[in-house]
Amino acid sequence: MRQESRHPLSTSPIRLDHQRTTEDITNQGRYLLNTFIYERMVQDGIQNVPALDELQEPGTPTGPPMQHVTEIARALRCIGDQLDGDVRLQNAINRVAPDASRSTLMNVAQQIFADGIFNWGRVTALFYLAYKLAVKALDRIPLIRATINVIVDFIRDKVARWIIERGGWEAIVEYFGTPAKQVMLVFGAGVVLSIGIYLWKGIQS
């Protein structure tokens, strides 16, 4: 089943695809995540930005081509820019060490969806988390790759099915459908609080 939706940032119809597999969505997500990190570093004026192909091992699959990858990337950037204004989220993410263990990163990612609600703002928050940690580990490419791998694995295990049900990554256009879906509303106080509590407990243990 296919349906069309128009992205307000694009000039052509977006065609949604509910036939993608979990592997497709995961590999596409890796490509989008790498692009998000690279473009955000350039946008923020980070010095010595690693090349895009340095962010993953050679031969890593990128998934089926996405017809509207430019629009998807632009939407991710737009949401990421809005996340800059969420002070509570900033404070929580700033407490995550760039060399945090895999289990810690997985648990922080899990806290973003602690109340069981999925939306594009929260999915983009995973990208944003990876970006923030990548900046902290700018001179340690293996550490950046490890962080990316954890986030991609989380997307595969916890988020990919939701994305497929929405119609693929192209469905991120939904986020811009109504003013009620602004980023300040996608994170309830309880979600950010749960992240903060988890990190506090981790520091104390």
Side-chain angles (χ1 to χ4, degrees):
M1 175 70 68
R2 291 174 181 267
Q3 59 181 341
E4 291 187 355
S5 177
R6 182 173 293 277
H7 192 308
L9 300 180
S10 72
T11 57
S12 60
I14 298 291
R15 191 174 294 275
L16 304 185
D17 190 348
H18 296 266
Q19 306 304 315
R20 296 299 188 194
T21 66
T22 296
E23 182 179 8
D24 292 338
I25 294 298
T26 301
N27 290 333
Q28 289 175 334
R30 181 186 296 276
Y31 172 81
L32 291 169
L33 175 57
N34 291 345
T35 301
F36 179 90
I37 291 173
Y38 173 79
E39 292 184 348
R40 183 65 194 254
M41 284 185 175
V42 172
Q43 172 186 313
D44 288 351
I46 303 297
Q47 299 296 313
N48 302 316
V49 175
L52 188 58
D53 59 4
E54 289 185 81
L55 299 180
Q56 62 187 22
E57 298 291 342
T60 301
T62 57
M66 289 171 280
Q67 293 183 355
H68 302 280
V69 64
T70 300
E71 288 85 352
I72 298 169
R74 190 182 306 162
L76 288 166
R77 289 197 305 272
C78 180
I79 300 173
D81 290 345
Q82 293 178 5
L83 289 173
D84 284 333
D86 192 318
V87 177
R88 297 170 305 172
L89 180 64
Q90 294 289 323
N91 291 337
I93 290 179
N94 286 340
R95 296 173 66 181
V96 184
D99 57 352
S101 67
R102 176 184 176 85
S103 61
T104 294
L105 291 181
M106 277 288 191
N107 278 307
V108 171
Q110 184 67 53
Q111 297 311 308
I112 293 175
F113 303 91
D115 57 3
I117 296 175
F118 286 74
N119 56 50
W120 290 109
R122 294 183 181 188
V123 173
T124 306
L126 295 173
F127 285 48
Y128 192 79
L129 169 63
Y131 165 72
K132 286 290 190 178
L133 295 180
V135 171
K136 294 180 183 180
L138 198 58
D139 59 342
R140 292 174 283 177
I141 296 298
L143 194 55
I144 295 176
R145 288 178 174 177
T147 297
I148 289 172
N149 286 339
V150 170
I151 298 302
V152 170
D153 287 349
F154 183 85
I155 290 173
R156 179 196 64 210
D157 296 340
K158 304 295 185 179
V159 186
R161 177 50 52 187
W162 179 83
I163 294 176
I164 291 171
E165 291 172 354
R166 304 312 310 173
W169 287 99
E170 288 82 357
I172 197 171
V173 299
E174 295 174 328
Y175 179 84
F176 300 94
T178 65
K181 291 183 179 178
Q182 294 300 314
V183 72
M184 66 282 297
L185 298 179
V186 301
F187 285 103
V191 172
V192 180
L193 179 62
S194 68
I195 296 174
I197 291 174
Y198 171 79
L199 291 172
W200 182 83
K201 288 182 176 179
I203 292 172
Q204 297 300 311
S205 62

mmCIF file of all heavy atoms in Angstrom, residues 83-97 108 128-129 132-133 136 192-193 195-197 199-200 203:
data_model
loop_
_atom_site.group_PDB
_atom_site.id
_atom_site.type_symbol
_atom_site.label_atom_id
_atom_site.label_comp_id
_atom_site.label_asym_id
_atom_site.label_seq_id
_atom_site.Cartn_x
_atom_site.Cartn_y
_atom_site.Cartn_z
ATOM 1 N N LEU A 83 15.914 20.880 18.674
ATOM 2 C CA LEU A 83 16.344 20.221 19.902
ATOM 3 C C LEU A 83 17.380 21.050 20.650
ATOM 4 O O LEU A 83 17.544 20.913 21.865
ATOM 5 C CB LEU A 83 16.905 18.834 19.595
ATOM 6 C CG LEU A 83 15.884 17.768 19.176
ATOM 7 C CD1 LEU A 83 16.587 16.499 18.736
ATOM 8 C CD2 LEU A 83 14.922 17.472 20.313
ATOM 9 N N ASP A 84 18.085 21.916 19.942
ATOM 10 C CA ASP A 84 19.050 22.803 20.595
ATOM 11 C C ASP A 84 18.369 23.651 21.666
ATOM 12 O O ASP A 84 19.009 24.081 22.624
ATOM 13 C CB ASP A 84 19.708 23.735 19.570
ATOM 14 C CG ASP A 84 20.759 23.041 18.739
ATOM 15 O OD1 ASP A 84 21.355 22.068 19.219
ATOM 16 O OD2 ASP A 84 20.995 23.493 17.601
ATOM 17 N N GLY A 85 17.078 23.918 21.484
ATOM 18 C CA GLY A 85 16.362 24.778 22.411
ATOM 19 C C GLY A 85 15.781 24.067 23.617
ATOM 20 O O GLY A 85 15.201 24.715 24.500
ATOM 21 N N ASP A 86 15.904 22.732 23.683
ATOM 22 C CA ASP A 86 15.378 21.981 24.818
ATOM 23 C C ASP A 86 16.475 21.873 25.881
ATOM 24 O O ASP A 86 17.324 20.992 25.836
ATOM 25 C CB ASP A 86 14.926 20.592 24.366
ATOM 26 C CG ASP A 86 14.109 19.868 25.431
ATOM 27 O OD1 ASP A 86 14.490 19.940 26.615
ATOM 28 O OD2 ASP A 86 13.092 19.247 25.081
ATOM 29 N N VAL A 87 16.461 22.806 26.820
ATOM 30 C CA VAL A 87 17.516 22.891 27.823
ATOM 31 C C VAL A 87 17.590 21.629 28.671
ATOM 32 O O VAL A 87 18.676 21.144 29.003
ATOM 33 C CB VAL A 87 17.301 24.125 28.725
ATOM 34 C CG1 VAL A 87 18.359 24.178 29.824
ATOM 35 C CG2 VAL A 87 17.329 25.403 27.889
ATOM 36 N N ARG A 88 16.425 21.056 29.014
ATOM 37 C CA ARG A 88 16.420 19.849 29.838
ATOM 38 C C ARG A 88 17.103 18.697 29.119
ATOM 39 O O ARG A 88 17.894 17.951 29.710
ATOM 40 C CB ARG A 88 14.991 19.472 30.197
ATOM 41 C CG ARG A 88 14.250 20.503 31.036
ATOM 42 C CD ARG A 88 12.780 20.145 31.140
ATOM 43 N NE ARG A 88 12.176 19.971 29.822
ATOM 44 C CZ ARG A 88 10.944 19.511 29.629
ATOM 45 N NH1 ARG A 88 10.208 19.151 30.655
ATOM 46 N NH2 ARG A 88 10.458 19.392 28.402
ATOM 47 N N LEU A 89 16.806 18.566 27.834
ATOM 48 C CA LEU A 89 17.431 17.502 27.057
ATOM 49 C C LEU A 89 18.932 17.744 26.943
ATOM 50 O O LEU A 89 19.732 16.815 27.056
ATOM 51 C CB LEU A 89 16.799 17.420 25.664
ATOM 52 C CG LEU A 89 17.368 16.344 24.742
ATOM 53 C CD1 LEU A 89 17.100 14.947 25.296
ATOM 54 C CD2 LEU A 89 16.784 16.477 23.336
ATOM 55 N N GLN A 90 19.323 18.997 26.709
ATOM 56 C CA GLN A 90 20.741 19.341 26.621
ATOM 57 C C GLN A 90 21.478 18.924 27.892
ATOM 58 O O GLN A 90 22.543 18.301 27.835
ATOM 59 C CB GLN A 90 20.907 20.854 26.423
ATOM 60 C CG GLN A 90 20.390 21.398 25.108
ATOM 61 C CD GLN A 90 21.258 20.973 23.948
ATOM 62 O OE1 GLN A 90 22.479 20.886 24.073
ATOM 63 N NE2 GLN A 90 20.646 20.684 22.830
ATOM 64 N N ASN A 91 20.900 19.271 29.034
ATOM 65 C CA ASN A 91 21.543 18.952 30.304
ATOM 66 C C ASN A 91 21.685 17.448 30.499
ATOM 67 O O ASN A 91 22.699 16.966 31.020
ATOM 68 C CB ASN A 91 20.746 19.558 31.463
ATOM 69 C CG ASN A 91 20.830 21.074 31.490
ATOM 70 O OD1 ASN A 91 21.771 21.662 30.953
ATOM 71 N ND2 ASN A 91 19.852 21.718 32.116
ATOM 72 N N ALA A 92 20.655 16.702 30.079
ATOM 73 C CA ALA A 92 20.713 15.241 30.217
ATOM 74 C C ALA A 92 21.794 14.649 29.324
ATOM 75 O O ALA A 92 22.612 13.834 29.776
ATOM 76 C CB ALA A 92 19.351 14.635 29.898
ATOM 77 N N ILE A 93 21.806 15.048 28.056
ATOM 78 C CA ILE A 93 22.779 14.494 27.113
ATOM 79 C C ILE A 93 24.202 14.892 27.490
ATOM 80 O O ILE A 93 25.140 14.096 27.334
ATOM 81 C CB ILE A 93 22.449 14.952 25.676
ATOM 82 C CG1 ILE A 93 21.168 14.257 25.190
ATOM 83 C CG2 ILE A 93 23.603 14.643 24.724
ATOM 84 C CD1 ILE A 93 20.749 14.651 23.795
ATOM 85 N N ASN A 94 24.382 16.102 28.014
ATOM 86 C CA ASN A 94 25.721 16.557 28.381
ATOM 87 C C ASN A 94 26.341 15.707 29.478
ATOM 88 O O ASN A 94 27.560 15.720 29.675
ATOM 89 C CB ASN A 94 25.676 18.023 28.820
ATOM 90 C CG ASN A 94 25.501 18.974 27.655
ATOM 91 O OD1 ASN A 94 25.767 18.622 26.504
ATOM 92 N ND2 ASN A 94 25.039 20.185 27.929
ATOM 93 N N ARG A 95 25.503 14.952 30.185
ATOM 94 C CA ARG A 95 26.010 14.110 31.267
ATOM 95 C C ARG A 95 26.445 12.731 30.765
ATOM 96 O O ARG A 95 26.955 11.921 31.547
ATOM 97 C CB ARG A 95 24.935 13.949 32.343
ATOM 98 C CG ARG A 95 24.585 15.263 33.023
ATOM 99 C CD ARG A 95 23.406 15.123 33.949
ATOM 100 N NE ARG A 95 23.685 14.266 35.094
ATOM 101 C CZ ARG A 95 22.802 13.978 36.044
ATOM 102 N NH1 ARG A 95 21.578 14.470 35.972
ATOM 103 N NH2 ARG A 95 23.127 13.191 37.057
ATOM 104 N N VAL A 96 26.247 12.461 29.487
ATOM 105 C CA VAL A 96 26.657 11.170 28.922
ATOM 106 C C VAL A 96 28.095 11.285 28.434
ATOM 107 O O VAL A 96 28.416 12.125 27.583
ATOM 108 C CB VAL A 96 25.749 10.759 27.752
ATOM 109 C CG1 VAL A 96 26.142 9.361 27.252
ATOM 110 C CG2 VAL A 96 24.286 10.775 28.162
ATOM 111 N N ALA A 97 28.969 10.463 28.953
ATOM 112 C CA ALA A 97 30.377 10.492 28.560
ATOM 113 C C ALA A 97 30.550 9.923 27.165
ATOM 114 O O ALA A 97 29.831 8.997 26.771
ATOM 115 C CB ALA A 97 31.214 9.674 29.555
ATOM 116 N N VAL A 108 20.185 4.849 27.867
ATOM 117 C CA VAL A 108 19.831 6.252 27.648
ATOM 118 C C VAL A 108 18.864 6.357 26.476
ATOM 119 O O VAL A 108 17.852 7.074 26.538
ATOM 120 C CB VAL A 108 21.086 7.107 27.392
ATOM 121 C CG1 VAL A 108 20.692 8.512 26.937
ATOM 122 C CG2 VAL A 108 21.944 7.200 28.652
ATOM 123 N N TYR A 128 20.583 13.046 17.480
ATOM 124 C CA TYR A 128 21.155 14.187 18.192
ATOM 125 C C TYR A 128 22.102 13.714 19.286
ATOM 126 O O TYR A 128 23.192 14.284 19.482
ATOM 127 C CB TYR A 128 20.013 15.010 18.787
ATOM 128 C CG TYR A 128 20.398 16.369 19.299
ATOM 129 C CD1 TYR A 128 20.579 17.435 18.425
ATOM 130 C CD2 TYR A 128 20.544 16.597 20.660
ATOM 131 C CE1 TYR A 128 20.913 18.692 18.906
ATOM 132 C CE2 TYR A 128 20.878 17.850 21.139
ATOM 133 C CZ TYR A 128 21.054 18.896 20.261
ATOM 134 O OH TYR A 128 21.384 20.142 20.734
ATOM 135 N N LEU A 129 21.718 12.665 20.008
ATOM 136 C CA LEU A 129 22.576 12.077 21.029
ATOM 137 C C LEU A 129 23.887 11.607 20.417
ATOM 138 O O LEU A 129 24.971 11.890 20.942
ATOM 139 C CB LEU A 129 21.849 10.911 21.705
ATOM 140 C CG LEU A 129 22.678 10.014 22.630
ATOM 141 C CD1 LEU A 129 23.200 10.798 23.817
ATOM 142 C CD2 LEU A 129 21.847 8.814 23.113
ATOM 143 N N LYS A 132 26.105 14.635 19.507
ATOM 144 C CA LYS A 132 26.728 15.269 20.661
ATOM 145 C C LYS A 132 27.913 14.454 21.169
ATOM 146 O O LYS A 132 28.958 15.001 21.545
ATOM 147 C CB LYS A 132 25.689 15.450 21.774
ATOM 148 C CG LYS A 132 24.689 16.553 21.522
ATOM 149 C CD LYS A 132 25.352 17.918 21.617
ATOM 150 C CE LYS A 132 24.352 19.038 21.619
ATOM 151 N NZ LYS A 132 24.982 20.370 21.762
ATOM 152 N N LEU A 133 27.757 13.130 21.194
ATOM 153 C CA LEU A 133 28.850 12.272 21.649
ATOM 154 C C LEU A 133 29.985 12.252 20.635
ATOM 155 O O LEU A 133 31.158 12.181 21.009
ATOM 156 C CB LEU A 133 28.330 10.860 21.904
ATOM 157 C CG LEU A 133 27.317 10.735 23.045
ATOM 158 C CD1 LEU A 133 26.875 9.284 23.209
ATOM 159 C CD2 LEU A 133 27.890 11.263 24.352
ATOM 160 N N LYS A 136 32.228 15.175 21.160
ATOM 161 C CA LYS A 136 33.094 14.983 22.312
ATOM 162 C C LYS A 136 34.272 14.058 22.009
ATOM 163 O O LYS A 136 35.303 14.113 22.681
ATOM 164 C CB LYS A 136 32.291 14.395 23.486
ATOM 165 C CG LYS A 136 31.224 15.311 24.061
ATOM 166 C CD LYS A 136 30.500 14.605 25.208
ATOM 167 C CE LYS A 136 29.369 15.432 25.770
ATOM 168 N NZ LYS A 136 28.671 14.750 26.893
ATOM 169 N N VAL A 192 12.393 13.278 30.036
ATOM 170 C CA VAL A 192 13.705 13.847 30.311
ATOM 171 C C VAL A 192 14.109 13.560 31.750
ATOM 172 O O VAL A 192 15.273 13.290 32.042
ATOM 173 C CB VAL A 192 13.711 15.366 30.033
ATOM 174 C CG1 VAL A 192 15.079 15.957 30.332
ATOM 175 C CG2 VAL A 192 13.346 15.634 28.582
ATOM 176 N N LEU A 193 13.137 13.582 32.665
ATOM 177 C CA LEU A 193 13.437 13.270 34.059
ATOM 178 C C LEU A 193 13.938 11.845 34.192
ATOM 179 O O LEU A 193 14.877 11.573 34.948
ATOM 180 C CB LEU A 193 12.184 13.474 34.917
ATOM 181 C CG LEU A 193 12.345 13.156 36.423
ATOM 182 C CD1 LEU A 193 13.391 14.070 37.044
ATOM 183 C CD2 LEU A 193 11.006 13.314 37.118
ATOM 184 N N ILE A 195 15.558 10.124 31.989
ATOM 185 C CA ILE A 195 16.936 10.084 31.500
ATOM 186 C C ILE A 195 17.875 10.575 32.597
ATOM 187 O O ILE A 195 18.907 9.966 32.887
ATOM 188 C CB ILE A 195 17.101 10.949 30.236
ATOM 189 C CG1 ILE A 195 16.251 10.393 29.096
ATOM 190 C CG2 ILE A 195 18.572 10.998 29.813
ATOM 191 C CD1 ILE A 195 16.252 11.267 27.852
ATOM 192 N N GLY A 196 17.498 11.715 33.206
ATOM 193 C CA GLY A 196 18.337 12.290 34.249
ATOM 194 C C GLY A 196 18.490 11.365 35.443
ATOM 195 O O GLY A 196 19.592 11.213 35.988
ATOM 196 N N ILE A 197 17.401 10.720 35.852
ATOM 197 C CA ILE A 197 17.456 9.797 36.985
ATOM 198 C C ILE A 197 18.342 8.606 36.664
ATOM 199 O O ILE A 197 19.163 8.183 37.490
ATOM 200 C CB ILE A 197 16.040 9.321 37.369
ATOM 201 C CG1 ILE A 197 15.248 10.486 37.979
ATOM 202 C CG2 ILE A 197 16.106 8.149 38.338
ATOM 203 C CD1 ILE A 197 13.803 10.148 38.263
ATOM 204 N N LEU A 199 20.854 8.480 34.558
ATOM 205 C CA LEU A 199 22.262 8.897 34.544
ATOM 206 C C LEU A 199 22.762 9.154 35.957
ATOM 207 O O LEU A 199 23.894 8.829 36.285
ATOM 208 C CB LEU A 199 22.415 10.153 33.677
ATOM 209 C CG LEU A 199 22.198 9.932 32.181
ATOM 210 C CD1 LEU A 199 22.174 11.261 31.446
ATOM 211 C CD2 LEU A 199 23.277 9.036 31.595
ATOM 212 N N TRP A 200 21.925 9.756 36.795
ATOM 213 C CA TRP A 200 22.333 10.019 38.168
ATOM 214 C C TRP A 200 22.630 8.718 38.902
ATOM 215 O O TRP A 200 23.639 8.608 39.602
ATOM 216 C CB TRP A 200 21.222 10.786 38.885
ATOM 217 C CG TRP A 200 21.584 11.143 40.295
ATOM 218 C CD1 TRP A 200 22.326 12.224 40.731
ATOM 219 C CD2 TRP A 200 21.229 10.426 41.490
ATOM 220 N NE1 TRP A 200 22.444 12.210 42.090
ATOM 221 C CE2 TRP A 200 21.795 11.103 42.591
ATOM 222 C CE3 TRP A 200 20.486 9.258 41.724
ATOM 223 C CZ2 TRP A 200 21.635 10.674 43.893
ATOM 224 C CZ3 TRP A 200 20.335 8.818 43.020
ATOM 225 C CH2 TRP A 200 20.900 9.525 44.093
ATOM 226 N N ILE A 203 25.924 7.344 37.746
ATOM 227 C CA ILE A 203 27.075 8.032 38.305
ATOM 228 C C ILE A 203 27.307 7.625 39.751
ATOM 229 O O ILE A 203 28.440 7.478 40.219
ATOM 230 C CB ILE A 203 26.871 9.563 38.228
ATOM 231 C CG1 ILE A 203 26.904 10.012 36.755
ATOM 232 C CG2 ILE A 203 27.946 10.315 39.003
ATOM 233 C CD1 ILE A 203 26.517 11.465 36.550
#
